[in-house]
Every structure is written in structure tokens, then in C-alpha cells.
């Protein structure tokens, strides 16, 4: 069993009530209307660590993980996306475990506990929290992390900018950003 961002996964297997696999995730070259450019794709490494794992909530799991950097050097920032796709029995549990896994990481402090947000005009619930993480060079990052999960896809999104470190975090705004990332990453299986 592998705990990936707090989600335990099954590779292979069958059984009810797992939904059919209709969607997948992919890391596009840019995200958020080209505001961020893919800098590092960690999907292969993450997928290798999934082999031979098992759990009860996700079947046929495949991972995507990437770090994006701001395209505008005058407004530096990083967007981190970590996700799984497959057949997810309980999306609400997947969202909760994703955020718990991030909050339990060494050097991380929860500044705002997770809150479920359904942005206006959407039917998708996003869970968001605010975190502070110690960095290796003595600094720290303050940011909102949100997660979505549906029958086939689950991912966490964290945007870290100078603004998130100096202003109060807006979880509703972070939820809208997460849904925009979901829209750009989620693809039908053909």
C-alpha cells in the first residue's frame, strides 16, 4: 500500500461500486490560460512508486505530478499539481485524505483547517486549507492548497506567489483556481 498525498491506492483489481473509467488527467505544457509553464514533470517517478500497491478507495490508479513556474518573470510564482486518475469509489474521502496527507508532511503547519467550497456556477465541491511549510534554506512558504475529486480524477493544487506570502489567503479564490486547473487537465478517455 502506498500513501500518496494521504490517498492509498489500488493498481488493478475490480469490484463494485467502483465507477467506470471515463476520464483521465494529463499535464499540459501550460496552465491557467498560459500564466504557468510546466517546469518539472514528476509523473513517471510517482507512477513507479504506485506499482504493487493496494487500497480500497481507488482502483487502476495512475499519477500525474508537476511543478509549473510563472510565465511572467515580473510576477514570480509556482503552481504545484499532484493528482491521480482511475476509478474512485468515494471522492469525498479522496479529497479529505489528500489534504490530510499534505498537512501531515514534515515542516508543515495548518493555518486554516479544510473547508468545502462549491464556487458559484459550479457543481463541483473543492476542499481547501491554508498551509505554511518550512523550506530547506530557513524560509517558509504560505499558501492555499485545494483538492477536488470525482469518480475518475483527484488532485491537489497549490499556488505559491509573493502575494500569498504577504496577504491573507482567499480560499474561495483558490477553489476557483483549482477548478480552472481541473478544466485544463481533465480529459475524456477515448
Amino acid at each position: 500500500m502506498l500513501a500518496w498525498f494521504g490517498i492509498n491506492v489500488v493498481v488493478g483489481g475490480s469490484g463494485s461500486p467502483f465507477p467506470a473509467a471515463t476520464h483521465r488527467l494529463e499535464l499540459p505544457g501550460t496552465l491557467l490560460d498560459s500564466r504557468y509553464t510546466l517546469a518539472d514533470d514528476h509523473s513517471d517517478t510517482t507512477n513507479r512508486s504506485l506499482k504493487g500497491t493496494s487500497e480500497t478507495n481507488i482502483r487502476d490508479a495512475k499519477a500525474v505530478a508537476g511543478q509549473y513556474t510563472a510565465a511572467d518573470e515580473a510576477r514570480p510564482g509556482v503552481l504545484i499539481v499532484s493528482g491521480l486518475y482511475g476509478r474512485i469509489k468515494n471522492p469525498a474521502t479522496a479529497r479529505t485524505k489528500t489534504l490530510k496527507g499534505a498537512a501531515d508532511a514534515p515542516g508543515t503547519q495548518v493555518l486554516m483547517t479544510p473547508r468545502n467550497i462549491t464556487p458559484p456556477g459550479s457543481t463541483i465541491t473543492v476542499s481547501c486549507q491554508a498551509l505554511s511549510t518550512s523550506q530547506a534554506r530557513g524560509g517558509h512558504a504560505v499558501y492555499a492548497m485545494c483538492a477536488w475529486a470525482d469518480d475518475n480524477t483527484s488532485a491537489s493544487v497549490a499556488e505559491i506567489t509573493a502575494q500569498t506570502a504577504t496577504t491573507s489567503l482567499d480560499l474561495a479564490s483558490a477553489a476557483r483556481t483549482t477548478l480552472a486547473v481541473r478544466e485544463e487537465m481533465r480529459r475524456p478517455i477515448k
Side-chain angles (χ1 to χ4, degrees), residues 14 30 32 78 83 85 87 105 112 125 132 142 153 155-156 181 187:
S14 64
T30 63
L32 298 176
V78 175
Y85 63 96
R87 300 182 303 136
M112 286 187 234
T125 299
S132 174
V142 176
T153 66
S156 64
V181 169
R187 301 282 181 258

Side-chain angles (χ1 to χ4, degrees), residues 7-23 50 53-63 84-90 94 150-153 189:
I7 299 175
N8 298 317
V9 298
V10 167
V11 179
S14 64
S16 197
F18 288 92
T22 60
H23 287 81
L50 288 176
T53 62
S54 65
E55 205 269 351
T56 58
N57 195 44
I58 300 176
R59 296 256 167 100
D60 305 321
K62 293 187 175 84
L84 293 172
Y85 63 96
R87 300 182 303 136
I88 302 171
K89 182 175 17 176
N90 188 331
D150 54 50
D151 286 350
N152 290 157
T153 66
I189 293 175

Side-chain angles (χ1 to χ4, degrees), residues 77-160:
V78 175
L79 183 75
I80 300 168
V81 180
S82 299
L84 293 172
Y85 63 96
R87 300 182 303 136
I88 302 171
K89 182 175 17 176
N90 188 331
T93 297
R95 280 194 325 270
T96 300
K97 286 185 175 184
T98 296
L99 293 183
K100 181 167 177 22
D104 289 345
T108 300
Q109 177 184 3
V110 177
L111 303 176
M112 286 187 234
T113 58
R115 181 174 112 194
N116 289 336
I117 301 169
T118 304
S122 176
T123 60
I124 307 296
T125 299
V126 178
S127 299
C128 299
Q129 64 188 357
L131 301 173
S132 174
T133 303
S134 299
Q135 309 231 323
R137 296 183 184 120
H140 73 280
V142 176
Y143 54 96
M145 173 179 276
C146 296
W148 86 78
D150 54 50
D151 286 350
N152 290 157
T153 66
S154 175
S156 64
V157 177
E159 184 176 24
I160 304 169

